[in-house]
Amino acid sequence: MSFVVSVRNLYVEHRQKQVLKDVSFDVADGEFLYLIGKTGSGKSSLLKVLYADLPIHSGWVEVADYDLTLIKHHQIPFLRRKLGIIFQDFELLYDRNVFENLAFVLRATDWKDSRQIRQRIEEVLESVGLSDKIKNMPHQLSGGEQQRVVIARALLNRPRLLLADEPTGNLDPVVSAEILELFKKIHRQGAAVIIATHYHNFLKQFPSRVLYCEEGIVRDIEKEFVVKRMEESFKKL
Amino acid sequence: MFSTTHNKSGYPTSNVIFIITTALFIIGLFALFALHAQLLIRKLRENIEIQVFLHKNTDASTQRSIRQALESYPFILKENQIPKIRFISKEEAATELRHLTGEDFMNFLGDNPLRDAFVINISEEYYTKAQMENIKKQIEELPGVFEVTYPENHIQEINANVHKVGAVLLSFVLMLLGIVVILINNSVKLAMYSQRFLIRSMQLVGATPWFIKKPFLQRAIYQGIVGACIAIVLLSLVLWFFYTFLEELRVLNVKWGIFVIYISLLFLGGLICGASAYFSVSRYLKMKLDQLYQN
């Protein structure tokens, strides 16, 4: 089994505060898992480490075959092209339409051929069910539709690993469920998916492995255990 | 395009161009002032005449050889390649003097006491005290030359003032240049601040630093040049105004100088804006997300 993420004895400090202590885990290619924890539990820091935005204090991290303890500054863009990042503060560009938002990403990642660019954009928009919104401006879309565009953007370069931080933060439960369906679809197509969320309904809808963060310590909870717990809680109802 | 302060992407285009235009206009105005001052001083110097008096009764061939000697000196001012040398015979000088004084001095002197003379003008760059003395000595050594005179005090006065004015102008230009760089740098930095999350987004999709910098750099250089163009139009208006009301200025040959100043403004605008954009984008590229929020 090949791993897209391997973390060993990771310690991370942020502003003279220990935010992650002795974290070790692996994520296999194509695996689906949740990252759960309160604000300040180290959840966001862990994600930042994975896309090389937070320096590693000690330990060893490998993401998509890049050793993050050795990675050079100029290699970081190429690591990120193997990741799809879906973040709240990573918004759409509101001065251009959906197509231009996506084309911008492709051009930024060395796509040159206009025909290939259009083709790839049509593919990802179809996979998130927004083919008819290609010419719309972001403000003409609903919150759920905007989030789908963000997901489409993350899929453009066929990432090995999708990182999503509170992907349904501002969305109602019905739309959130649709977004989760989308992540499940992406997972079925072969990408590994890590979703950081406090939205426990996801666990009920689609039980999977959980990394639980608390005060800088990460506990690894196996899928079977989560499934069992969820079944128990259903029985209680 | 410049009518709205903020376009949709939040980049304050018109603010930036306004600051650049103002800064370059001021520096251009100053440069034009310095150019005119310098040309006026040159005109003043070149109008100073040096008189070369000859011995009495020099014959025509000596006069011709003196003229040839004078023509061959490098310090003689040339107008359209022709050395500025004028010969005034003692008769002409006497007529002139008679006109000036209104008295017929030859009547009571019984003789013309004046001498034949060459009047020459000297190139501007020879107007130091040492060089003038050197020139005087050199000409006086020519056979047939009696004396060389020039308005020594006048020259010293001009020189002293030129040095003072030069020092003041230079320090002003340096100060202005500093202010202009800081002003433009600040406004470009401020404009970049509005783009920090866009820069961040570009980083997250895996754009290389150069890909991110390029459009910002292009826009900043473009704006610097647009600002410089507006400043040039304004400066031309100011020049037109002065030349309409001060016709005396037309004796100065400023065309080439103005051209150099305008080209320098275009270059300066593009360079300062480009460099500011480059450094501030680089700064945001190195920042972490929380630092962006803190700012």
Side-chain angles (χ1 to χ4, degrees):
Chain A
M1 188 156 50
S2 64
F3 294 112
V4 62
V5 177
S6 294
V7 179
R8 291 289 174 280
N9 311 108
L10 170 69
Y11 286 80
V12 172
E13 273 179 21
H14 191 34
R15 288 190 221 147
Q16 284 91 47
K17 233 187 82 190
Q18 195 89 53
V19 289
L20 290 171
K21 292 169 207 157
D22 198 19
V23 176
S24 299
F25 66 91
D26 292 306
V27 178
D29 266 315
E31 203 177 353
F32 190 102
L33 57 90
Y34 297 103
L35 190 61
I36 288 180
K38 297 193 190 93
T39 317
S41 60
K43 186 177 62 170
S44 297
S45 300
L46 182 56
L47 287 174
K48 281 179 189 166
V49 167
L50 296 184
Y51 65 85
D53 197 36
L54 203 58
I56 295 161
H57 192 244
S58 75
W60 176 76
V61 178
E62 194 180 81
V63 176
D65 302 327
Y66 282 92
D67 183 341
L68 298 196
T69 52
L70 299 175
I71 195 165
K72 300 273 191 312
H73 215 78
H74 67 265
Q75 292 175 312
I76 291 176
F78 301 95
L79 161 72
R80 288 181 182 160
R81 289 176 195 189
K82 301 205 167 174
L83 311 177
I85 304 176
I86 298 160
F87 273 25
Q88 279 181 324
D89 52 57
F90 177 18
E91 293 174 338
L92 295 170
L93 309 174
Y94 285 93
D95 59 342
R96 54 198 91 180
N97 68 27
V98 170
F99 177 82
E100 287 160 351
N101 260 283
L102 301 179
F104 170 78
V105 173
L106 289 177
R107 288 209 189 86
T109 51
D110 290 341
W111 288 58
K112 304 266 190 264
D113 186 314
S114 299
R115 221 187 55 236
Q116 285 177 357
I117 287 176
R118 173 160 287 275
Q119 194 186 343
R120 182 62 189 149
I121 289 173
E122 281 165 359
E123 276 168 25
V124 291
L125 282 179
E126 202 194 325
S127 75
V128 300
L130 282 180
S131 292
D132 53 333
K133 308 280 185 184
I134 190 163
K135 288 254 167 64
N136 285 47
M137 296 297 281
H139 64 84
Q140 296 170 317
L141 303 175
S142 69
E145 285 169 337
Q146 284 186 29
Q147 193 63 324
R148 282 166 186 272
V149 177
V150 170
I151 293 169
R153 180 176 63 183
L155 295 178
L156 283 168
N157 282 312
R158 299 186 177 83
R160 264 179 85 185
L161 172 65
L162 209 64
L163 298 172
D165 194 4
E166 300 289 1
T168 59
N170 311 315
L171 303 176
D172 65 61
V174 179
V175 178
S176 298
E178 285 170 16
I179 297 289
L180 180 66
E181 283 305 315
L182 194 53
F183 281 118
K184 281 160 68 180
K185 186 173 152 195
I186 294 162
H187 161 61
R188 277 198 304 274
Q189 287 166 357
V193 177
I194 300 179
I195 299 177
T197 185
H198 60 264
Y199 194 66
H200 292 270
N201 270 352
F202 279 0
L203 288 178
K204 288 176 197 157
Q205 285 174 38
F206 187 60
S208 197
R209 181 180 162 202
V210 169
L211 293 173
Y212 187 81
C213 294
E214 199 170 36
E215 291 175 357
I217 292 166
V218 176
R219 281 195 292 140
D220 201 338
I221 304 165
E222 289 303 313
K223 183 178 176 179
E224 292 69 30
F225 184 79
V226 176
V227 172
K228 215 170 81 189
R229 279 291 300 273
M230 287 301 140
E231 281 167 356
E232 281 167 13
S233 68
F234 272 121
K235 277 174 202 158
K236 273 183 206 157
L237 290 169
Chain B
M1 169 177 185
F2 309 124
S3 56
T4 50
T5 306
H6 291 267
N7 55 22
K8 277 185 229 153
S9 65
Y11 189 93
T13 304
S14 56
N15 279 359
V16 173
I17 290 187
F18 180 75
I19 297 279
I20 293 164
T21 302
T22 313
L24 291 178
F25 175 73
I26 293 170
I27 214 164
L29 209 58
F30 210 81
L32 285 176
F33 175 67
L35 173 73
H36 282 85
Q38 202 217 339
L39 289 175
L40 272 173
I41 288 165
R42 170 182 290 180
K43 206 79 198 169
L44 219 57
R45 284 172 158 174
E46 288 176 351
N47 279 338
I48 293 173
E49 291 184 329
I50 292 177
Q51 286 161 319
V52 180
F53 294 105
L54 308 184
H55 280 298
K56 291 200 170 173
N57 310 319
T58 40
D59 54 26
S61 73
T62 319
Q63 280 180 11
R64 216 177 304 124
S65 65
I66 291 173
R67 179 184 267 274
Q68 274 164 2
L70 288 174
E71 279 173 355
S72 67
Y73 287 132
F75 49 77
I76 300 289
L77 178 68
K78 291 187 178 63
E79 259 182 5
N80 307 323
Q81 309 296 331
I82 301 162
K84 258 190 119 176
I85 299 175
R86 216 152 35 96
F87 180 74
I88 300 177
S89 68
K90 58 186 180 189
E91 289 76 22
E92 285 167 341
T95 324
E96 208 173 301
L97 194 62
R98 244 199 317 266
H99 271 290
L100 272 171
T101 57
E103 255 179 287
D104 196 354
F105 58 94
M106 272 174 45
N107 263 348
F108 59 83
L109 284 177
D111 187 19
N112 184 354
L114 302 174
R115 292 160 188 274
D116 293 328
F118 283 106
V119 174
I120 57 174
N121 295 68
I122 301 289
S123 295
E124 194 233 356
E125 57 268 31
Y126 289 93
Y127 276 87
T128 63
K129 204 179 165 207
Q131 276 175 311
M132 287 302 286
E133 273 167 11
N134 205 5
I135 288 170
K136 180 179 154 91
K137 214 188 290 165
Q138 216 176 330
I139 300 176
E140 280 179 347
E141 277 168 9
L142 290 174
V145 172
F146 170 69
E147 193 187 19
V148 174
T149 62
Y150 60 92
E152 201 170 336
N153 289 338
H154 196 55
I155 286 175
Q156 271 175 11
E157 211 170 290
I158 292 179
N159 280 349
N161 283 327
V162 165
H163 289 310
K164 263 186 242 162
V165 171
V168 171
L169 278 183
L170 190 71
S171 50
F172 256 119
V173 164
L174 288 180
M175 214 168 68
L176 265 178
L177 207 65
I179 293 172
V180 165
V181 169
I182 291 168
L183 259 181
I184 294 180
N185 185 41
N186 269 349
S187 65
V188 171
K189 245 159 80 179
L190 215 63
M192 284 301 151
Y193 178 71
S194 70
Q195 306 291 300
R196 65 199 189 286
F197 286 105
L198 176 66
I199 293 171
R200 167 80 183 170
S201 299
M202 291 176 166
Q203 277 184 303
L204 286 184
V205 299
T208 55
W210 177 240
F211 182 89
I212 298 172
K213 278 175 197 168
K214 207 170 63 182
F216 287 107
L217 219 62
Q218 280 170 345
R219 172 156 60 177
I221 291 172
Y222 168 76
Q223 286 175 342
I225 289 172
V226 168
C229 287
I230 300 173
I232 285 170
V233 170
L234 294 176
L235 288 169
S236 302
L237 281 176
V238 171
L239 278 179
W240 174 80
F241 181 81
F242 272 97
Y243 274 74
T244 309
F245 290 96
L246 288 171
E247 291 191 359
E248 295 84 348
L249 285 176
R250 291 191 187 158
V251 298
L252 300 177
N253 184 19
V254 289
K255 280 200 190 85
W256 184 243
I258 289 175
F259 178 72
V260 170
I261 288 175
Y262 283 0
I263 294 289
S264 313
L265 286 181
L266 286 171
F267 183 71
L268 204 64
L271 181 77
I272 299 175
C273 289
S276 302
Y278 183 86
F279 289 118
S280 48
V281 176
S282 301
R283 202 168 70 97
Y284 288 119
L285 285 176
K286 288 194 199 100
M287 276 196 178
K288 305 280 173 231
L289 181 62
D290 338 344
Q291 288 172 310
L292 292 183
Y293 280 112
Q294 275 164 27
N295 259 274

